[in-house]
Amino acid sequence: MPRYNKIFAGPPGEVDVQVEEAPCNVSLTPGQLVVLSSGKWVAHATAGGRGRYRVLQDNYLACEDVDTQIAANDTGVGLIPHGDLLFYVRVATGQNLAKGDALVSNGSGVLVKGATSGHQILFWAEETYNNTSGSTQLVLVRPAQGTVP
């Protein structure tokens, strides 16, 4: 059962959420980081890297929840993270997060604590959460720019 029921978290008055649509190359889970490869969404596969990533939106138009994967060749909606927007993004199991922790890509479309020198910080944790669930979980985050020193 998901901790949250949506991917875009606000602010509630925000109407300028920019998106990109493309078919998924393989089945992908909402909240994963994705990039375009040959015109299709694939999981962000550069551990510690940045790139032109998006956050995969849940298929709310089909009344599907955040744990229902977007099937290969179905259209996925990638939310463009910028500014002070808030998102619920997948964080790897075993991550003990505190509010304000730097988060980086683990190379499979999910986030981990940014503890490796030279990794690009993609998001900041906006909540404290210890993921001992045994699966990826959605965690509230804010987009960031920077490199782990």
Side-chain angles (χ1 to χ4, degrees):
M1 184 159 122
R3 293 180 65 227
Y4 298 104
N5 62 4
K6 60 184 178 177
I7 301 301
F8 177 68
E14 182 65 50
V15 294
D16 293 335
V17 181
Q18 300 296 310
V19 302
E20 249 181 298
E21 292 183 354
C24 294
N25 191 41
V26 295
S27 292
L28 296 166
T29 306
Q32 272 188 292
L33 298 183
V34 294
V35 295
L36 282 174
S37 177
S38 300
K40 291 189 173 188
W41 293 125
V42 296
H44 185 272
T46 306
R50 190 169 189 72
R52 191 168 183 230
Y53 63 93
R54 305 290 184 247
V55 178
L56 190 65
Q57 171 75 351
D58 52 298
N59 189 355
Y60 63 90
L61 294 175
C63 296
E64 293 177 342
D65 65 26
V66 293
D67 285 336
T68 302
Q69 289 192 319
I70 310 296
N73 296 315
D74 281 359
T75 299
V77 176
L79 301 168
I80 301 172
H82 64 86
D84 286 330
L85 300 179
L86 297 170
F87 299 92
Y88 292 107
V89 178
R90 298 271 166 190
V91 171
T93 189
Q95 298 296 300
N96 188 5
L97 303 177
K99 184 174 180 175
D101 279 350
L103 302 170
V104 299
S105 173
N106 75 345
S108 66
V110 298
L111 298 174
V112 294
K113 280 174 90 166
T116 304
S117 178
H119 281 199
Q120 293 292 318
I121 298 169
L122 302 181
F123 293 93
W124 298 105
E126 286 293 313
E127 67 176 318
T128 297
Y129 180 67
N130 185 7
N131 186 6
T132 58
S133 68
S135 64
T136 63
Q137 291 295 319
L138 295 172
V139 172
L140 185 63
V141 300
R142 182 180 305 278
Q145 295 182 1
T147 303
V148 177

